[in-house]
Amino acid sequence: MTISRLLVANRGEIARRVFRSCRDLGISTAAVFSDADEGSPHVAEADVAVRLPGNAPSETYLRIDLILQAARAAGVDAVHPGYGFLSENADFAAAVLDAGLTWVGPSPDVIREMGSKVGAKERMAKAGVPVLADIDVSSGDLSEVGDGDFPLLVKASAGGGGRGMRAVHRRADLAEALAGAASEAGSAFGDSTVFCEPLLEHAKHIEVQVLADQHGTIWILGERECSLQRRHQKVIEETPSPAIDADVRAQLSDAARAAAATIGYVGAGTVEFLYDPVRRGFFFLEMNTRLQVEHPVTECLFGVDLVAQQIAVAEGARLPTEPPDPRGYAVEARLYAEDPRAGWRPQTGRLTRFEIPGVNERFRAPGGIRRAAATGLLRLDSGVESGSVVGVHYDAMLAKVIAWAPSRDEALRRLATALATARISGVGTNRDLLVRLLRSPEMLAGTTDTGLLDRADLAELARPLALDADTAAGTAAGTAGGVDAVALSALAAALAASAVGAGPARAAAVPRGWRNVPSQPQRSSYRWRDGDRTVDVGWRWTRNGIVADGFDEPTVAGITGDQVALEVAGVRYRFEVTVSDAGDELQVDVSSVLGPVALVAVPRFPDPSASIPPGSLLAPMPGTVTRVAVAAGDRVTSGDLVLVLEAMKMEHPVHAPTDGIVESLPVSAGQQVDGGSVLAVLTTD
């Protein structure tokens, strides 16, 4: 059959990605959205959009009945599940088919068989694919787990993406890890079943892309290296893997082909393996019966639109006998709204600016364009735009930035430069961490593994890029002390705020603080959001231009709108200033080649009523209290669990920072709290 209108049962970047291929194919599109997503870009881009009713936005996209009602209302003849949510739910696939609609994906039976991680491993073992042995904890009797079984990994039987996964190194932590993983898996996938397997701490995560049609043709589209992970969620992916030689690549391809053939797979899917580079051995992890988040790197390498191929297979088309030949290298970085230095804490707020310079492709496999570009391309798949609100209900990923180039070093450099010069303001991200990882010796040498970020000093790895720029800029400029990027950014912010008017009319405008006789300088104070530092800057407007007070080096070379040019030791730097009102704070983000600097304007007259009780534990973000582990009056020890907060589909434990007594506990399980709310008050011993 031929699909005329397709509904994407997903949201954000995922829906927008599928919509792009549909537009190229001339297929009309339909979106679904929760109340929290009403202003999401994917809603505006669809030809028709249907609101999903419900008071729990985080669960709305998991309601099969609501999705089918939306499909009928939108008049579609096909459903694409995207990736995540119901994409690996066999009951959903069956319900779509029972409704007389085309399902863009493998059969419900295959989804069900591979959806059980335990059952899938048993099936693969029978097909001769190497697997890791399971450690049975289904009975709840943990006495069968031997001391030699540690470290081990608790995993959700249904779903993936790092949810419902816990690494356990001590027997004492196993029971809590099982309970936490089961709770998180139930919330994310509607199935709280978990199991355990050995944890290979220095292994590499390698996955193989397969694509099969209804006529028996199976494509193997290379492997992806996905070893850089945090909380068992991938951070950077690339293809081909620098750790795999031709012999191992052939073995992996054969194993993936056997996995797809033994279950009669149809559609796009991924066979995931753990690879031990020392023993040159690999083990089957799971088969994802859907498109993966990281599929763009494969598309860039092979010049294939995997979404378009999914749709063609669903319509009954035959694949050519062999796929296109791969060419070059591709690497992808996942840009998250999170703070790696604070336990990967998700960040929320409004993205006042979101721009990645150099992007020349969005949501689409470059194909022939890529092959015609000898120097490489930069692709952006994002669920947000400037002005988007990042809330607490969904995953913290903002976008994927993908670079393709003829060589691996060129691809890494292109991606690192694009991220370092990105203009992102209003919400904190992991951008600095990504840039450092892409430039790290381990990444350049191709020696990363799944435990790298667990072993790393995150405070150092994710420290602001502006601190690096101080030394680099100082060396380049020949100055002894380098360039203070934070102070210069604060001066640029103050000058931009003081200027009135822009463009051609700027010369006729009178700036704030201008005097026709010598006077005291104007002053502003900023708090650096990425460090414990307050910067005071002063300046005077004179007949001869602007004079910066307290600075020996910088000369103000010009101010135009939100751009300020400062010259230091003969080197001119351009600063772009973005201001956003974040409730009680005025946030100022400054971008330059010296590195991004996030500031908060310090008010001249602080509100004396803004205070919190000493010893308060504050909510790091808006969320829902899912578990309270203490009661008022309890004595706690530093590190004890106080409560668990759920936000962005992840659980965030709140621990006691010191020994003491719980003086008050103003929250309870099930209660929603705002960021900064008092969760508990401790009286220290």
Side-chain angles (χ1 to χ4, degrees), residues 41-367:
H42 85 272
V43 179
E45 290 181 6
D47 294 319
V48 297
V50 181
R51 182 190 299 272
L52 300 176
N55 297 321
S58 61
E59 300 175 2
T60 302
Y61 295 97
L62 295 172
R63 291 279 301 275
I64 295 175
D65 57 333
L66 297 183
I67 300 294
L68 291 179
Q69 290 175 18
R72 287 190 289 269
V76 305
D77 47 25
V79 173
H80 191 299
Y83 29 98
F85 291 126
L86 294 170
S87 62
E88 292 181 285
N89 187 302
D91 293 339
F92 179 47
V96 169
L97 293 171
D98 290 344
L101 304 175
T102 297
W103 169 253
V104 182
S107 70
D109 290 341
V110 168
I111 295 175
R112 187 171 289 109
E113 185 172 8
M114 292 295 100
S116 168
K117 302 296 188 292
V118 176
K121 289 173 66 175
E122 293 175 350
R123 180 67 180 269
M124 292 301 110
K126 292 178 181 178
V129 179
V131 300
L132 287 170
D134 284 344
I135 301 170
D136 187 12
V137 293
S138 58
S139 65
D141 181 8
L142 305 184
S143 62
E144 297 298 319
V145 182
D147 292 337
D149 292 328
F150 294 90
L152 54 79
L153 187 65
V154 180
K155 298 178 67 175
S157 182
R163 292 174 177 82
M165 296 181 71
R166 300 287 192 278
V168 184
H169 294 81
R170 305 183 307 157
R171 176 181 294 278
D173 299 330
L174 181 56
E176 182 175 332
L178 288 168
S183 173
E184 195 168 86
S187 174
F189 313 118
D191 184 345
S192 59
T193 305
V194 297
F195 67 100
C196 298
E197 66 184 16
L199 174 62
L200 304 182
E201 295 184 285
H202 298 286
K204 286 184 159 294
H205 190 128
I206 307 293
E207 60 188 30
V208 180
Q209 177 71 56
V210 300
L211 181 68
D213 63 21
Q214 301 175 27
H215 311 284
T217 301
I218 300 176
W219 279 6
I220 303 297
L221 294 166
E223 83 287 343
R224 296 188 287 257
E225 164 95 36
C226 307
S227 298
L228 273 174
Q229 302 177 5
R230 58 76 164 134
R231 286 184 170 181
H232 307 289
Q233 287 186 303
K234 300 158 189 172
V235 177
I236 293 177
E237 303 99 351
E238 62 175 310
T239 185
S241 168
I244 302 299
D245 59 26
D247 290 341
V248 174
R249 179 170 291 113
Q251 295 173 37
L252 283 168
S253 297
D254 290 344
R257 186 181 298 276
T262 194
I263 59 175
Y265 196 80
V266 173
T270 305
V271 187
E272 302 199 359
F273 300 91
L274 277 182
Y275 173 65
D276 184 342
V278 176
R279 293 185 292 174
R280 288 170 53 84
F282 55 86
F283 305 92
F284 172 84
L285 279 178
E286 61 187 13
M287 183 171 187
N288 290 301
T289 53
R290 55 174 169 83
L291 206 60
Q292 291 280 84
V293 176
E294 57 273 18
H295 76 274
V297 292
T298 298
E299 292 187 318
C300 289
L301 194 72
F302 285 86
V304 172
D305 186 331
L306 288 173
V307 174
Q309 293 294 343
Q310 280 185 299
I311 293 172
V313 166
E315 292 178 325
R318 289 179 178 269
L319 292 172
T321 304
E322 296 293 336
D325 293 331
R327 178 171 177 261
Y329 288 79
V331 59
E332 169 183 296
R334 301 191 190 191
L335 190 64
Y336 286 94
E338 65 183 10
D339 184 356
R341 296 177 298 166
W344 309 100
R345 180 186 301 163
Q347 306 292 292
T348 59
R350 182 179 295 278
L351 274 168
T352 52
R353 194 170 189 177
F354 187 79
E355 299 172 4
I356 311 291
V359 169
N360 46 16
E361 193 59 73
R362 291 176 64 90
F363 298 107
R364 187 169 67 89

Side-chain angles (χ1 to χ4, degrees), residues 484-638:
D484 189 337
V486 177
L488 287 176
S489 296
L491 176 60
L495 293 173
S498 72
V500 178
R506 172 69 187 86
V510 178
R512 179 169 60 86
W514 185 88
R515 300 289 187 273
N516 61 355
V517 294
S519 178
Q520 291 295 314
Q522 297 291 304
R523 293 201 170 275
S524 293
S525 183
Y526 296 93
R527 175 172 54 83
W528 187 26
R529 299 206 306 265
D530 292 327
D532 185 16
R533 180 181 177 188
T534 299
V535 183
D536 295 308
V537 295
W539 72 96
R540 287 179 292 141
W541 293 80
T542 71
R543 289 185 175 86
N544 298 321
I546 308 165
V547 176
D549 183 60
F551 289 86
D552 295 330
E553 293 287 353
T555 300
V556 181
I559 304 175
T560 306
D562 60 356
Q563 295 193 8
V564 176
L566 301 176
E567 191 169 300
V568 181
V571 180
R572 185 170 297 186
Y573 301 100
R574 185 181 72 253
F575 299 82
E576 296 192 31
V577 181
T578 303
V579 181
S580 55
D581 189 353
D584 297 332
E585 294 183 334
L586 193 65
Q587 297 186 356
V588 184
D589 291 88
V590 185
S591 299
S592 75
V593 71
L594 298 177
V597 174
L599 303 168
V600 174
V602 177
R604 296 181 63 186
F605 306 103
D607 183 358
S609 65
S611 63
I612 57 174
S616 295
L617 301 184
L618 305 181
M621 71 209 79
T624 302
V625 177
T626 59
R627 177 186 170 198
V628 178
V630 299
D634 285 355
R635 180 175 294 277
V636 294
T637 302
S638 177

Side-chain angles (χ1 to χ4, degrees), residues 460-477:
E460 175 64 24
L461 192 60
R463 74 190 187 113
L465 292 174
L467 294 179
D468 287 352
D470 291 354
T471 303
T475 301

